[in-house]
Amino acid sequence: MNIILLGCPGSGKGTQAEILCEKLQLLHVATGDIFREEIGKKTPLGLEVSNYLSSGRLVPDNLVMEVIKLKLNNETKGVLFDGFPRTVDQAEQLDNYFEQTGRRIEAVIFLNIIEQEVIQRMSSRRTCPKCGKIYNLITNPPKGLNVCDECQVELMLREDDKVGVIEKRLMVYKDLTEPLISYYKATNIFFEVDGKDSPDIVSDRIISFLKNKVLKDG
Ligand code: AMP
């Protein structure tokens, strides 16, 4: 099964991706995580994309697609795309690539949430720089004061979760990513879920949709 998780920055895609990939044994392909890792390692790709991320702009479509192709091979069974596609052009490139390689997208899950909620969520989000675990100072705080429960390393506020950049990311989302909702809504693989509910409720809804879908599609 190949799934796309769609939603604005801060809608909970990362958290849902972790839960769903573990339960459904899917490969988690999160373009934002890939770029941050490359930036951390100072690779040529990292250097090329660094300014886009720190200013909240999107990395060019062709470069994103190259990265996606590198992540998939013949052995890849099921994939969950998190933060990809982000433009209609990327979605079309993915459709073409999947057609050529005999794959298909079985479900597009849209985490719907209002803007005010995401601004609050993102500015209180903290990440462990070592294991990548995501916390929220209000809804899911670490046990200790600003340190990861697992690694005991100090938690970080992502550069692009600072208020000015959040606003830019939301504008980019409205302009370039929101049109994807209509692109996929017209298909019978689209499922919308209320992203403001707790992570467990959201993931239960998604899993029951996927189970029904598999039953229906045989
Ligand atoms: P995310 O962690 O998904 O919020 O992504 C962080 C940043 O990485 C975005 O603000 C973009 O600069 C870049 N990025 C991630 N995924 C994509 C994508 N599919 N297309 C273009 N840029 C992306």
Side-chain angles (χ1 to χ4, degrees):
M1 176 174 273
N2 300 303
I3 302 176
I4 292 172
L5 261 188
L6 208 60
C8 70
S11 58
K13 296 190 298 294
T15 307
Q16 286 307 316
E18 268 176 36
I19 302 175
L20 295 171
C21 286
E22 200 192 314
K23 288 200 173 152
L24 305 172
Q25 295 295 298
L26 299 172
L27 174 72
H28 182 192
V29 176
T31 37
D33 290 350
I34 297 170
F35 294 141
R36 278 185 290 277
E37 211 180 302
E38 298 287 326
I39 292 170
K41 290 198 223 147
K42 297 191 168 58
T43 62
L45 173 64
L47 295 175
E48 197 173 346
V49 301
S50 164
N51 277 338
Y52 291 102
L53 271 86
S54 58
S55 62
R57 286 173 302 142
L58 291 187
V59 171
D61 293 333
N62 288 345
L63 190 53
V64 177
M65 202 57 214
E66 274 176 41
V67 168
I68 292 291
K69 286 181 186 169
L70 286 175
K71 287 283 155 192
L72 306 180
N73 59 42
N74 291 339
E75 249 85 289
T76 314
K77 295 247 161 52
V79 183
L80 183 143
F81 292 114
D82 158 10
F84 170 85
R86 238 165 158 122
T87 63
V88 171
D89 183 62
Q90 288 178 20
E92 285 170 352
Q93 288 200 44
L94 178 67
D95 283 348
N96 288 337
Y97 179 62
F98 264 27
E99 208 178 300
Q100 283 162 21
T101 52
R103 303 169 205 253
R104 70 189 172 104
I105 299 291
E106 271 87 7
V108 177
I109 312 291
F110 171 45
L111 300 177
N112 198 0
I113 188 160
I114 56 167
E115 194 168 305
Q116 254 172 328
E117 172 91 17
V118 297
I119 293 177
Q120 199 208 36
R121 271 192 189 184
M122 283 197 280
S123 49
S124 51
R125 174 159 69 181
R126 296 292 182 277
T127 318
C128 172
K130 197 164 170 209
C131 70
K133 190 167 174 189
I134 306 163
Y135 296 86
N136 184 294
L137 297 183
I138 300 161
T139 55
N140 176 28
K143 293 193 186 96
L145 193 65
N146 209 37
V147 289
C148 177
D149 295 347
E150 322 287 332
C151 320
Q152 304 304 316
V153 169
E154 189 179 353
L155 301 177
M156 282 175 36
L157 171 67
R158 263 168 54 175
E159 212 35 54
D160 59 350
D161 278 347
K162 294 183 176 161
V163 174
V165 188
I166 293 178
E167 282 159 3
K168 170 75 183 164
R169 289 167 71 201
L170 289 173
M171 267 165 53
V172 168
Y173 172 79
K174 276 208 185 108
D175 281 352
L176 299 172
T177 310
E178 236 172 36
L180 270 182
I181 297 166
S182 334
Y183 181 87
Y184 287 120
K185 224 174 194 167
T187 66
N188 66 347
I189 57 172
F190 184 85
F191 179 64
E192 181 170 330
V193 62
D194 191 344
K196 83 172 175 331
D197 287 324
S198 76
D200 286 343
I201 294 181
V202 174
S203 65
D204 283 352
R205 290 207 181 115
I206 297 174
I207 287 172
S208 52
F209 164 77
L210 294 173
K211 278 189 182 148
N212 281 335
K213 188 152 180 38
V214 169
L215 283 179
K216 250 197 261 156
D217 296 352

